[in-house]
Amino acid sequence: MKEFDVAIIGGGPAGLGAAIYSGRAMLKTVLFDKFGTGGQLNSYEKIANYPGFFEDTPTYKLSESLLAHAQRFGTEIIYDEITSISDDGEWKILKGFADSYRVHASIVATGVRYKNLGVEGEERLRGRGVSYCATCDGPFFVGKNIVVVGGGDSALQEAQHLTQFGREVTIIHRRDEFRAYPDLREMVQKHPKIKCLMNSTVQSIEGKDFVEGIIVKNVVTGEVSKMKTDAVFIFVGLQPNTEFLSGYADLDDYGYVKTREDMSTSKKGVFAAGDIRVKDVRQVITAVSDGAIAAQSAWKYMSCRK
Ligand SMILES: Cc1cc2nc3c(=O)[nH]c(=O)nc-3n(C[C@H](O)[C@H](O)[C@H](O)COP(=O)(O)OP(=O)(O)OC[C@H]3O[C@@H](n4cnc5c(N)ncnc54)[C@H](O)[C@@H]3O)c2cc1C
């Protein structure tokens, strides 16, 4: 079984931030990712609020720089999905699909994914007009009518992105006001291609082989209507990727990992960083910062044991 000082699970900004600090502290570090590194950076095109990258930088550039930086300090990257962590005396055993690994400390940075809407037609038409990623699937809908469901930052940001492709983008939100930042709210109100349908919920998604329309309910009047559309992009909240930690480390009611200020969890030798933590601000800068703190704490944990 391969052995490491520190295993970082997840190669998004938090995991890569942790890898830079862990590698630089001369710990034998491995980083696992189930897809490829970059995490959510792969799901949008540009970033304007990461310090030092001030000109609407393409996210792939930030992602590539973080990876190169982590590798420069010796982190080994293994593409494997970790499915469980358990204790074996002083060691932690990580089971992946490809192999099992023995490590002294773990930093969990597995991030979040979008929640399902949970309506009829969503599962059946996934990849056939139902999508959770505008960057990935937007180009399939050039000149088409697009619906975006949600009212937070991501929904409005993604709606703006989709206007490059769609003839018209309709945002459907269940409340009478968006939760997003004021600049995004102003943008959607002024955008000539964006329409907003407030106080409304999607009841079902219809179509034989591909999305053809949706059934919408006005939650104030109770009126139900049919709306034609070619695509439904869903951004209705986030779900932490922590299923494999359930019963091992303490999670809150929504599945987020509870951590102390030093990123330690309820389990000795296990730290958490980034969007999977219970916290208020989920952004690249806070994820990278968590990663640095977690790596520093892992280093302290290792030093105390020697
Ligand atoms: C549409 C959109 C727009 C955004 N815009 C901005 C913005 O403008 N500015 C900003 O600062 N932030 C933005 N964010 C948020 C920001 O991208 C996240 O806060 C940040 O990516 C969180 O980093 P993370 O490393 O915690 O998690 P993630 O980026 O989610 O990375 C987690 C990684 O873990 C991997 N993983 C998951 N489970 C396992 C497993 N079991 N085994 C191995 N690997 C696993 C995943 O493949 C993934 O690579 C945006 C997010 C979205 C979705």
Side-chain angles (χ1 to χ4, degrees), residues 8-16 32-44 46-50 80-83 109-114 153-155 157-158 235 238 241 244 273-276 279 281-288:
I8 298 165
I9 310 170
L16 291 167
F32 298 103
D33 202 291
K34 61 177 175 176
F35 295 135
T37 53
Q40 291 168 62
L41 286 173
N42 298 319
S43 65
Y44 50 102
K46 290 185 176 163
I47 184 157
N49 58 0
Y50 190 76
D80 195 0
E81 175 169 354
I82 300 303
T83 53
T110 45
V112 294
R113 61 182 186 273
Y114 280 109
D153 292 337
S154 301
Q157 229 174 335
E158 298 295 69
F235 307 105
L238 301 163
N241 296 315
F244 70 104
D275 281 11
I276 57 156
K279 65 176 187 176
V281 182
R282 293 194 171 87
Q283 290 278 281
V284 175
I285 187 170
T286 59
V288 170

Side-chain angles (χ1 to χ4, degrees), residues 152-153 156 178-186 281 283:
D153 292 337
L156 271 55
F178 291 120
R179 278 178 288 112
Y181 278 116
D183 58 334
L184 286 170
R185 281 190 254 165
E186 201 184 317
V281 182
Q283 290 278 281

Side-chain angles (χ1 to χ4, degrees), residues 68 172 210 239 266 277:
I172 299 184
F210 294 93
Q239 170 92 39
S266 60
R277 290 178 56 226

Side-chain angles (χ1 to χ4, degrees), residues 294-305:
Q296 191 68 11
S297 300
W299 173 79
K300 275 191 199 154
Y301 169 77
M302 300 281 303
S303 310
C304 291
R305 286 161 34 116

Side-chain angles (χ1 to χ4, degrees), residues 155-171:
L156 271 55
Q157 229 174 335
E158 298 295 69
Q160 182 184 27
H161 178 70
L162 287 165
T163 58
Q164 293 176 64
F165 311 107
R167 180 171 45 211
E168 185 175 83
V169 176
T170 305
I171 306 176

